[in-house]
Structure formats: structure tokens, C-alpha cells
Amino acid sequence: MKPDLESAPENALQAALPKAYDPSSIEQRWAEYWVREHLFDVATPHAGARAPDAHTQTPERKFTQLLPPPNVTGRLHIGHMLNQTEMDILTRWHRMSGDTTLWVPGTDHAGIATQMMVERQLTAEGTTRQALGREAFEDRVWQWKSLYGNAILDQMKRLGSTVDWSREYFTMDDRLSIAVKEAFVRLYEQGLIYRGSYIVNWCPGCQTAVSDLEVIHEDQLGKLYEIRYPLADGTGSIVIATTRPETMLGDVAVAVNPSDERYAGLIGKELALPLTGRKIPIIADDWANPEFGTGAVKVTPAHDPNDFAIGQRHNLPNLNIMDTTAHIDLPGSPYHSLDRYEARKRILADLEALGLLVAARDHHNAIGLCDRSKDVIEPRLSKQWFVKIQPLADKAIEAVDKGYIKFTPDQYRKTYDEWMKNIHDWCISRQLWWGHRIPAWHCADCAQITVSRETPSTCAHCASASITQETDVLDTWFSSGLLPFTVFGWPNSKDLSSFRESGVPGQLAGWGGAAGGPASALSIPPDLAAFYPTQLLVTGFDILFFWVARMIMLGCHFMLDVPMPDGSPRTLKNAVPFREVYIHALVRDAERQKMSKTKGNVIDPIDIISRFGTDAVRFTLASMASPGTDIAFSEARTEGNRAFANKIWNAARFLFMNIDRAHEAGLDVSVNESGKVSAMANAPLETRWILTRLSQTAAEVNRALAAYRFDEAASAVYQFFWGELCDWYLEIVKLRLNFTPEGGETANAEALASLHAFVQVFDAALRLLSPFMPFITEEIWHALYNNAPPAKSIALTRFPQAADFPTDEPAVREMETLQQLIVTVRALRKEIGVPEKEATPIRVFSTNAANCDAAALARTNADMLAKLCRVSAVEIAPSALTGESTRSTPSFDVEVVYARQIDVPAERERLTKDLAKYEKGLQAADRQLSNEAFMAKAPAHIVEGLRKQSTETRLLYDKTKAALEALPPA
RNA sequence: AGGCGCGUAGCUCAGUUGGUUAGAGCGCUACCUUGACACGGUAGAGGUCAGCGGUUCGAAUCCGCUCGUGCCUACCA
């Protein structure tokens, strides 16, 4: 049954057949077609449109993944493209291999980033969010989102990614907001979320707390100041060391190590804090490091995390001296309202004047910057919400330790483990207006907190009606950490119908969890039952902790409570959000620099695509995506792959040209739609050879993709298509395709058989290439089926398997021998300077009567040999050494002879050089063969190989020497 | 301060459990506009595998050290 393809774009190959491939003329059309036809929506059954046996939907074989949601504020960068290329290659490969394949796209609301974006707009308009008010501001952000929020997804559509657009989500969608609230409330009820005053990373620019991960450390050369603090009783002093003298205004103690004998007598005494005269104690605490600075450290609990800990241990007060903008907040003090760095200068100057500044030494230390705004982070004491992380981390560690989640490359397992074991509680509150508002209400009367799924009208503790909702919103990563299950309808199914009109995916019927099954009785969302856990997460290591680790923790935590589709309890093994994580490299610029806007070295994928075509860029990224190392993006390589696309295009033109010729000769050319090729015992050598190579290439590509070796898969298809199909097979087929309208029937029948084989091979090659280069293969494939293909897209056909093609090992060996012979003849032509246009005859001599396969092959394929070598005739003769130019190759015993005068000095030079090479090789081989230890310990096949090599090299050496001696004297 | 990685042809990179003469793309040289393709064809040149030492019959591959380089994590003021 042919699908209705009226909606398919017009085919450029059918129209003009331009010589050069122009990606822009076709890519846009197919990108739109794929989206418009919903070809990759899982809810859209399309099994009937596939090749008969290619796609029996097997529920056990599913392939599900989530697109790491880009920020709505984002623009597509090359890293996204690498990520999507890899995901799409895998998705297409799995889909074509018969798996139920779902790839869910979406965008992230990106709290800080988006709020900053809109605030900049407001600034330009001369207003502020504070002037607008919270609600109006939120409306404004939604407005912005509806206008610009799809930009990145629109860009993504050009990449050809086969995502299910019907499932597209936004992390602030109602259904996801409900889920976020549910998750928060449950964690709170379980005692895993708490609120408290702690030192957090405060960004004075963004005016919010940020998590540890959002602080980037930068090494800076600063100063370590030594300041003298006098004793209150005037009997002496102590010198402390600090990098931040301005915080001394908030000092509440000075700590020394209890074991530090220098200060033993001072512990318990009081100091008069310089500049203020406030009295503070000297305390003993292990934190003070006798080796560092002076061994005495000032304690400022409100402005330093360590000092905060000391303060807790010693019951010291917290003295907050700074406001949220990092200005000194001490009304009445001369430093009041000074910026922190201005205050530092003034304080140092004042201390100097008092003679209390003892020293200022150069000092390297890491300074914390805000990931978003690059402001220097100010540790600040404030009330925040935290997730008690240890219980979650324990399960997450176990899940990976037990192998329920596999990391590729494996080294990241260690990184993950290391981080997970040293994890701190997660600060999840943000003082922003854009995000999931924390579902907690503060009571004005009893000061208690009511956490609730629904908006409460009264306080749960004292029933007071004076309650107000928490103003903080949640860290963006809190909601994205829940995605693996929230996108599939967690917590329950009742919200499902509201966001997915299409309902339960058709081909999943009968799968546990489908409507009517046991799962629905337990009200497990059908999608959750069907798709959780996902198979794979593909992402960069930059969000390993931000996102991957959080998904694992939250997935293991929440999904353990959700029964399996059959109603049985879920184990950790099935609670994990994904079975595998593939971490890819970072894309850098050609100079290996990390791309950044400020450096101006950002590679715009859209620009690259419009210059080289999406297929070429995809292929480049895939072929450079070897694990472990970063990718230095190479335009030169992209150019090379554009040439590859052009090569494919022209090979197709050649095929179509011959199909046309066959038609003109009144012959019919059909395509076998099964995707498999049956045995061809009587087929010509090149057909048997290329089918075997096709089988081997399919095996290699399948193997490489299963191991995430995109580079190896890409190079296998590249080498096969260009190096074998085009360079050899096609050149030989050329000789067979002699369609002659008036010619004999037999000749035409033979030509047609070759053409049929060619079509089958080409069809398979296109399918093999399509995950990597979906656009050009789609275009050619439709043309190949004369725009009436067996499926709506090549992406819905069968991916070539090794067993789909008949193999013939002897044919491969024969072909290789023939190739070697041909290369030898060509090289010889060149070396003895036969002009390109001159077609002289050659003679091929067998030098070894007992083993003359090559000579026999040359005889059988004399015609082919002559054409491919551009010689007029090939004559097979018994062995004979003549004074003419001769050449032989090591792997078979033939000699190729050209009857031609040669350039004697040039020939002598070449032979001398060769002789030296053979001699060296011979010596090396003989040295090993006479090494007793080697002979005793080396495996047999190695020794055997070396012997063979030695024998062959000896032969070459002798021949070359003889030839050299036979040359006329200079 | 800990941890991870990298150093192979002029450039960008492959090189699987150690094994016969270390590969690819781009670039380079020579010749070729042969009816698929000059975004092409054919044939070439080009490498002491960062250095030193060790294990081994045998090392680009395993181990140690040195040098160079990139990154991640980190609450020593």
C-alpha cells in the first residue's frame, strides 16, 4: 500500500538534476514536511506505512529519551547541535531498527536568565519590575515567552531532529506546575525540605540566593592582610589574618587553635575590635589553622560560611553588616552605605593610620562569581529553603553503584560518585519573580508555615486568616530535575487528558499501563507506565551535577512510590530516570577555545548550516564525536563533508541517468521494497563484492552506534560510500550499463541485472546513511521510488542489518586482489611516465605457476582491468623477465610489464630507494625470527605472519635487485 | 588543595583486550576538464607516536617520573 504523498515536497532530482548539490533547496522542504506530517509523533500510528517486516512494533523494545530542554531565552549554539545530532542519529537508528521510539522535546523557563532578559527590556523602557508589581511582571514575562520563547525550537526544526512535537512541554506549563507543587509538598511532608537561616551564596546583582553549583570559582591575586587587634585590657594584642578586612565590622570573636601554644594564654580574654571598640572574645576552635597566616582568625558568622559554623559551635551572635546590594548597613557608622570594596579601602586606610595594619601580603585565592551575572558572590546569612539531600543522594549513589544507570564514558561514574558523596544540602529558594512559586504560606499571627497543594484560606496551625504566600520561587533545576516522570503525567492520570488530546498512543495498546489495564486501575499515568524509565540521556558534562544528578536523585526518590505497570512494587532498578547516560564533549572553536559571547568566537550553527548544509554539519559533528575529548569545530572538515553530500548527490544522478537510459531502451526498472537483497550466486564479481561489503558495513555501523561511537559509524559509512561504492563499484558498473535501444536482448538483460543490483545497493546505502544525513537521503530516496515510496519517509524504513545481504568472502578476496593489481598498473604508468592519454598495452605475467590467482583474475577481468587502468589491452603470458619496466606487488605473484622506454636515471633512483626499504624490512624480520625468545613465546599466527612477510620481502628484494642490475649503465 | 583528561603527519583527529609495514579528513606535490561529481579522478610525499626510564619475545598501547596543556571539584581565613 502506497501512502498518500501528495503533501510531499516536489523533488529536485526529478526536475533539473543540477550538477552541484544545493542543500538549501531541499532541506527546508523536508524539515517542514517531517513536522507537518507528524511522522515522529508516537501517538500517530504509522506501522502500516512501513516495509512489511521492518517494523513489527515490539513493546519490549522501546527507545525513549528526553531532549535536555534549552532555556527559552536561548539561541541555538553548536553544542545544542552536537547534542541533537547524536540524539537524532540514535533515535533514527532505533526507529529504523524496529523499536518504539519516543523523543520528547521542551523548553525550560530558566528563572534568572529569563527574568534578567525581561528586566533589561523594562530598563530600556525606563521602568522596573518593582514599578510594575509582581503580577504585571509575570504577565510581561509570559508575553515575552509567547513572542520569543519558540525561537530556539524553531531553529531546532532545521536540524532535522525527529522529536515528537505533539508532546512538547514548557517547564511552567500548568500540568508541570502541579507536579512541581506535588513534589515540593511531598518532600516537605517527608521532612526532606526545611527552611532556615543559613549562609548562602548571595548574588548582589541578581538579588537572589544561588546554589553552590551556580558559583564559579576564579583564581585571583589578592592580598592577605594582617591586622592587630588590641586586648581590651590593654595588656597586649593579637594579629589576625584576613582577605576581607571590611567584614571585621561584623566580627564577633577571634579564634585560635587550642593546640597553638603561641596563643594559649590568650584564650578567653577580650579584644577591643578596632574602629568600633566593640568587645569580642578570643575563643579556641580547631578550624583555626596554625600554619596559615598568623594562626588567628577573625570570626564573622554572618559573612562567611566557616565563621558561621564556628558561631554555631560557640553560640556566638550573628552580626549582619551588609545589605542585599553588598553595601555596609550600619547606620551611624562612618562606613554606612559604602560599597564593600570602597569600605575595604577606607577601613584599611583607617587601620593604617592607627598603626594596626601589620602587613599586606600577596595572596592567591579563588573568588566566587555568579554564574549568571559574574558579580562577586557575597556569602550572606538569610532565610532560605533547602532540600535535605543525603537521603536522596544515598539512593542515587546506590543506583549507579549497582549498575542500574550506566555512564558512557565510564569515567564520569567516578566524577558523579565523588560529587554525590560530598554533597551539601541544596538551596532551592530564589528571590525571583519568575519561576514556580513555593507553595508555602506564612502566618502573621503564629508565625508558622503552612505548606499545601491547594491555596489555603487559613493557617493550618492557628486557623488565622492572615496568611501570605512565600514570595520565593524554586530553583529552575528543581522542576527540570523532575522531568523524566512529570513529562509522562506524574503524579496522576487525571491531568493527562487536559494536555494530550490524542490520548494513549495507539501502538502501545496491550502494553502494561495502557487504558483499561491494571496500571490504570492504580491510576498510573499510561505514558508513565509505558515510557518510564527512559533508555538514555544524552548531554554534556557541564550539566552533570545541575541536571543529571538531580534527575537521578529525584527520580529514585519519587518513582519508588509508583507501582510497576503490572501493579507490583517498583524496585530501585526501575525507579531510575534513565538506564544510560551518554556524556558528550564540549564543542570548542578551531583554536580549542571555549566559545563565549564576550570572546566573540561563538560559532553560529545556523550560519554554518546555511553555508554547508545541515547534513554536512551533522556528519561533521558525528564524525568528530569521539568520547573523552572536546571537539574543536573544523570548518575544513565540514567542507569535506559538504563534498561528501555532493558525492552522494552525483552518484544518485548517475544512477538516475542509467535508469532513464534503461527506460529509453524499453526496459522496466523496479525497486525491491523489502530492503533485503537475496543471494546472487551468478552475479558479477563486483556485485557479490559490494553486497558483502554492504553487509560488513551494516554490521560495523550497528556495532558502533550501539557503543555510541558516532565517529566510527560515520567513518564506516563514509568509507563505504565514497571509497568503495563510488570509487570502485560504480566505476565497474559503468562498464556494464550499456543500454542499446537496438542492441541484443542478452546485452540489455545483463545491463538491466547490473542496474537492478545497483539500485538495491544504492537503496541500502541511502538507508545506512539516513540517520547521519537525513535530508539528502530523504530527497534521493523519494526520487528513487519515483515519488511513490513504500513509506512516508526513509526514516520509517528498515535500517540495514548484516544479514540483509548475501555475503561472499572469496569475492572480497578476489576483488581486493584485482584492486591491488589495478593500483599497481596505475602506479607503474605514473612512475614510468606514460602520458594519461596514451593507452598502451600491458602484459601481466604470472611469476608463480603454482599460485597464479592474480593472473587468472586478470585474464577473466581483462576488460575491466584495461578500462580501469586506461590501457589498451591486457595480455596474460607466462612468466618472463625482460628489460622492460616491470613491477610486482607483495601479496600475489604477478608481474606487470609495460613495453616502453623508461627514464633510466629516474628508474635507478626509484629502485635504489625501494631496495633500501626492502632491505631494512628484511633485516627487522630476520632479527626477530632469529630471536629464540620471540620464537618461543610469540603466538603462532604472529610468527607465521612474520615468516610470510620475510619471504615476500625477500622476493621483492631479489627482483628489485635484479631489475636494478639489468638497467643499462649510466 | 584534590580529581580527571590530553600531547600521534603541516592542521583537526582515530588507533578497540600490547602483535606483521601506525590510519582518516583537510592541506601539500604531480598528472588528468575521461558523458555522476573539479564540492571531482589518479598517483604520491609527509610521523623517532612530547621526553626519559621500566615491564615484555614484542609498547603509540601497560607502569613510573619529567615537561607542556585543558578541564572539573573545593567553605583555609
Side-chain angles (χ1 to χ4, degrees):
Chain A
M1 186 181 105
K2 309 276 185 198
D4 172 22
L5 283 170
E6 276 176 18
S7 49
E10 264 195 46
N11 204 292
L13 267 170
Q14 292 230 307
L17 288 152
K19 269 170 82 166
Y21 173 56
D22 176 17
S24 64
S25 71
I26 70 157
E27 287 182 352
Q28 193 68 33
R29 283 184 287 120
W30 288 113
E32 283 166 10
Y33 171 79
W34 293 330
V35 175
R36 187 174 65 236
E37 295 293 310
H38 300 282
L39 293 184
F40 310 113
D41 295 2
V42 171
T44 310
H46 48 233
R50 294 170 174 170
D53 61 344
H55 286 272
T56 313
Q57 292 289 327
T58 44
E60 307 78 42
R61 292 185 51 190
K62 56 163 185 150
F63 183 74
T64 314
Q65 50 180 355
L66 248 53
L67 175 78
N71 290 351
V72 276
T73 54
R75 303 291 293 176
L76 191 73
H77 64 71
I78 198 86
H80 291 125
M81 187 161 179
L82 170 70
N83 185 257
Q84 293 207 31
T85 297
E86 292 180 344
M87 292 182 87
D88 194 47
I89 288 171
L90 291 172
T91 301
R92 285 174 180 268
W93 174 60
H94 276 279
R95 187 185 293 109
M96 291 177 77
S97 302
D99 299 350
T100 298
T101 303
L102 171 63
W103 182 6
V104 184
T107 43
D108 194 286
H109 66 280
I112 297 183
T114 313
Q115 175 159 330
M116 279 171 71
M117 184 83 82
V118 175
E119 280 195 274
R120 265 204 295 277
Q121 266 191 358
L122 294 180
T123 308
E125 292 165 20
T127 179
T128 61
R129 74 179 153 104
Q130 285 80 3
L132 275 182
R134 185 162 184 152
E135 267 182 45
F137 179 76
E138 282 181 58
D139 286 347
R140 190 54 203 260
V141 181
W142 278 106
Q143 226 174 24
W144 180 92
K145 193 252 169 192
S146 68
L147 276 176
Y148 307 106
N150 280 329
I152 189 156
L153 289 182
D154 289 343
Q155 287 180 312
M156 283 181 177
K157 284 173 185 163
R158 289 189 66 172
L159 304 182
S161 301
T162 56
V163 300
D164 179 347
W165 289 107
S166 76
R167 288 170 188 270
E168 180 190 331
Y169 64 85
F170 176 54
T171 51
M172 292 268 283
D173 284 344
D174 285 348
R175 64 175 176 113
L176 290 183
S177 298
I178 290 168
V180 167
K181 227 178 273 178
E182 179 69 29
F184 183 93
V185 174
R186 283 199 201 179
L187 286 171
Y188 184 80
E189 287 171 352
Q190 292 160 348
L192 295 174
I193 282 183
Y194 62 90
R195 183 175 186 257
S197 276
Y198 294 91
I199 286 275
V200 294
N201 306 297
W202 183 267
C203 173
C206 304
Q207 288 282 294
T208 179
V210 297
S211 73
D212 292 346
L213 280 175
E214 287 157 281
V215 180
I216 49 176
H217 297 271
E218 209 167 79
D219 269 336
Q220 271 189 5
L221 179 61
K223 297 273 184 199
L224 182 66
Y225 301 99
E226 290 179 10
I227 301 166
R228 185 177 305 280
Y229 284 14
L231 285 168
D233 59 15
T235 59
S237 67
I238 192 165
V239 177
I240 59 94
T242 180
T243 55
R244 301 203 54 198
E246 69 278 15
T247 63
M248 67 182 286
L249 300 173
D251 285 359
V252 296
V254 164
V256 296
N257 196 289
S259 67
D260 195 332
E261 287 166 17
R262 290 173 292 178
Y263 304 117
L266 295 174
I267 294 165
K269 292 200 168 178
E270 276 196 328
L271 293 162
L273 186 65
L275 307 176
T276 71
R278 191 155 48 79
K279 294 199 171 55
I280 57 171
I282 296 173
I283 58 170
D285 193 284
D286 284 336
W287 164 250
N289 177 359
E291 309 287 317
F292 187 91
T294 61
V297 56
K298 64 193 215 47
V299 180
T300 322
H303 298 282
D304 183 281
N306 299 307
D307 294 6
F308 180 76
I310 298 176
Q312 297 282 86
R313 285 197 286 274
H314 297 267
N315 275 319
L316 297 170
N318 298 316
L319 193 56
N320 198 334
I321 58 151
M322 264 186 237
D323 64 16
T324 61
T325 62
H327 286 67
I328 302 295
D329 185 20
L330 281 175
S333 154
Y335 309 107
H336 180 64
S337 81
L338 288 181
D339 170 77
R340 52 189 161 168
Y341 298 111
E342 185 57 29
R344 179 181 301 177
K345 270 189 225 158
R346 295 271 291 273
I347 285 172
L348 285 171
D350 292 348
L351 287 171
E352 178 127 52
L354 292 168
L356 296 174
L357 184 60
V358 179
R361 307 177 197 285
D362 282 348
H363 179 68
H364 284 279
N365 68 337
I367 187 159
L369 303 179
C370 172
D371 193 21
R372 193 52 61 182
S373 68
K374 311 299 177 220
D375 284 298
V376 175
I377 290 293
E378 187 62 47
R380 181 180 163 80
L381 186 67
S382 63
K383 279 215 159 156
Q384 303 288 346
W385 294 84
F386 296 85
V387 172
K388 198 170 158 189
I389 211 76
Q390 203 57 55
L392 301 183
D394 288 344
K395 278 191 216 123
I397 291 168
E398 187 188 341
V400 172
D401 274 359
K402 292 206 170 140
Y404 301 151
I405 298 174
K406 188 181 154 227
F407 281 85
T408 306
D410 185 59
Q411 70 205 46
Y412 289 106
R413 186 168 45 89
K414 224 175 136 182
T415 312
Y416 165 89
D417 217 50
E418 200 68 25
W419 186 78
M420 211 45 117
K421 284 178 174 155
N422 295 303
I423 199 164
H424 294 105
D425 282 357
W426 175 16
C427 175
I428 50 168
S429 47
R430 297 290 181 275
Q431 289 65 52
L432 303 173
W433 286 359
W434 176 242
H436 295 284
R437 195 158 166 183
I438 289 175
W441 284 262
H442 301 281
C443 178
D445 291 327
C446 73
Q448 301 237 58
I449 289 170
T450 304
V451 169
S452 165
R453 291 168 179 83
E454 311 294 335
T455 303
S457 50
T458 56
C459 171
H461 306 278
C462 71
S464 158
S466 340
I467 53 169
T468 48
Q469 188 173 1
E470 168 65 60
T471 53
D472 289 357
V473 300
L474 287 166
D475 181 4
T476 301
W477 298 102
F478 187 86
S479 56
S480 45
L482 304 167
L483 286 173
F485 44 98
T486 56
V487 293
F488 295 130
W490 186 92
N492 56 54
S493 59
K494 72 174 192 286
D495 310 306
L496 207 64
S497 53
S498 63
F499 71 86
R500 274 184 58 72
E501 288 172 15
S502 40
V504 180
Q507 67 268 50
L508 297 173
W511 214 355
S520 90
L522 292 159
S523 106
I524 304 172
D527 273 6
L528 192 65
F531 296 118
Y532 193 94
T534 62
Q535 258 54 54
L536 176 68
L537 183 80
V538 179
T539 188
F541 66 78
D542 49 331
I543 52 174
L544 181 60
F545 305 131
F546 275 117
W547 194 44
V548 181
R550 265 91 177 248
M551 279 191 288
I552 296 174
M553 289 191 284
L554 294 168
C556 289
H557 181 74
F558 284 107
M559 286 302 291
L560 262 182
D561 299 335
V562 178
M564 293 296 286
D566 65 5
S568 63
R570 190 178 291 263
T571 58
L572 189 58
K573 186 177 179 181
N574 290 309
V576 297
F578 27 75
R579 306 241 179 253
E580 292 192 36
V581 180
Y582 175 72
I583 309 260
H584 62 239
L586 229 60
V587 184
R588 301 174 173 280
D589 74 0
E591 276 74 49
R592 310 209 114 267
Q593 296 293 302
K594 202 167 173 172
M595 292 180 204
S596 76
K597 276 181 205 157
T598 44
K599 274 189 234 159
N601 63 343
V602 177
I603 296 169
D604 179 5
I606 297 297
D607 170 55
I608 298 286
I609 282 172
S610 50
R611 285 167 55 208
F612 301 105
T614 307
D615 282 337
V617 186
R618 281 176 61 120
F619 202 86
T620 303
L621 291 170
S623 62
M624 298 189 81
S626 47
T629 44
D630 287 344
I631 297 174
F633 188 78
S634 153
E635 273 197 22
R637 237 169 127 154
T638 315
E639 262 177 56
N641 289 323
R642 178 180 59 183
F644 182 43
N646 192 55
K647 191 79 181 173
I648 297 167
W649 181 258
N650 279 290
R653 286 182 63 224
F654 176 74
L655 175 60
F656 291 130
M657 186 186 86
N658 281 292
I659 291 175
D660 287 348
R661 284 181 182 166
H663 285 153
E664 281 162 23
L667 300 166
D668 185 42
V669 184
S670 63
V671 189
N672 173 1
E673 294 175 1
S674 77
K676 296 181 182 174
V677 180
S678 49
M680 299 182 173
N682 299 318
L685 176 60
E686 76 277 5
T687 303
R688 287 177 286 132
W689 165 73
I690 198 75
L691 286 171
T692 308
R693 287 294 303 131
L694 193 48
S695 171
Q696 292 167 343
T697 307
E700 168 64 5
V701 173
N702 280 301
R703 180 207 63 78
L705 287 180
Y708 307 112
R709 290 305 303 261
F710 301 95
D711 57 330
E712 290 178 353
S715 97
V717 294
Y718 183 96
Q719 168 57 27
F720 172 76
F721 196 91
W722 199 324
E724 299 185 293
L725 199 155
C726 289
D727 287 351
W728 290 98
Y729 177 70
L730 203 144
E731 290 301 324
I732 298 169
V733 162
K734 248 179 211 177
L735 310 173
R736 314 261 189 217
L737 299 178
N738 298 311
F739 294 107
T740 46
E742 290 87 28
E745 259 180 47
T746 323
N748 275 346
E750 274 174 17
L752 188 62
S754 277
L755 182 57
H756 267 135
F758 187 9
V759 167
Q760 299 305 332
V761 166
F762 208 83
D763 177 72
L766 287 175
R767 284 181 282 114
L768 206 50
L769 276 163
S770 70
F772 305 90
M773 303 187 121
F775 293 97
I776 190 171
T777 49
E778 184 84 296
E779 174 83 3
I780 298 170
W781 183 78
H782 279 259
L784 187 60
Y785 285 87
N786 207 17
N787 283 350
K792 281 197 146 191
S793 165
I794 192 172
L796 302 177
T797 62
R798 177 186 173 86
F799 194 76
Q801 302 295 315
D804 292 353
F805 313 97
T807 55
D808 186 344
E809 298 289 347
V812 172
R813 281 195 297 276
E814 283 181 23
M815 188 65 197
E816 279 170 0
T817 305
L818 214 46
Q819 285 174 325
Q820 257 177 310
L821 187 55
I822 291 164
V823 168
T824 306
V825 173
R826 285 170 177 167
L828 180 60
R829 276 187 67 110
K830 192 92 167 181
E831 275 164 12
I832 64 178
V834 180
E836 200 77 18
K837 281 177 186 163
E838 186 179 318
T840 50
I842 57 165
R843 268 176 281 167
V844 176
F845 293 98
S846 166
T847 54
N848 182 347
N851 179 15
C852 51
D853 287 356
L857 267 172
R859 186 178 293 119
T860 319
N861 299 286
D863 232 30
M864 186 198 294
L865 207 53
K867 292 258 173 46
L868 295 185
C869 305
R870 306 195 140 273
V871 294
S872 64
V874 176
E875 180 192 341
I876 316 298
S879 175
L881 252 180
T882 71
E884 297 159 316
S885 176
T886 68
R887 183 76 187 274
S888 36
T889 60
S891 60
F892 54 93
D893 302 324
V894 298
E895 214 164 312
V896 176
V897 180
Y898 257 104
R900 188 180 173 81
Q901 286 303 314
I902 54 169
D903 177 347
V904 174
E907 186 67 359
R908 178 173 290 114
E909 193 187 329
R910 182 178 73 80
L911 290 175
T912 307
K913 206 172 152 194
D914 282 356
L915 199 64
K917 192 171 75 188
Y918 296 142
E919 191 172 8
K920 203 176 153 195
L922 211 51
Q923 280 171 0
D926 289 347
R927 201 179 310 124
Q928 277 213 295
L929 285 170
S930 59
N931 182 334
E932 278 176 34
F934 172 78
M935 297 305 283
K937 293 190 181 180
H941 72 276
I942 298 294
V943 177
E944 185 66 21
L946 198 60
R947 275 226 183 81
K948 198 176 158 211
Q949 184 203 333
S950 167
T951 312
E952 280 168 355
T953 311
R954 163 79 55 197
L955 193 72
L956 282 170
Y957 177 83
D958 291 345
K959 274 200 214 172
T960 309
K961 201 168 176 212
L964 194 57
E965 283 162 0
L967 285 175

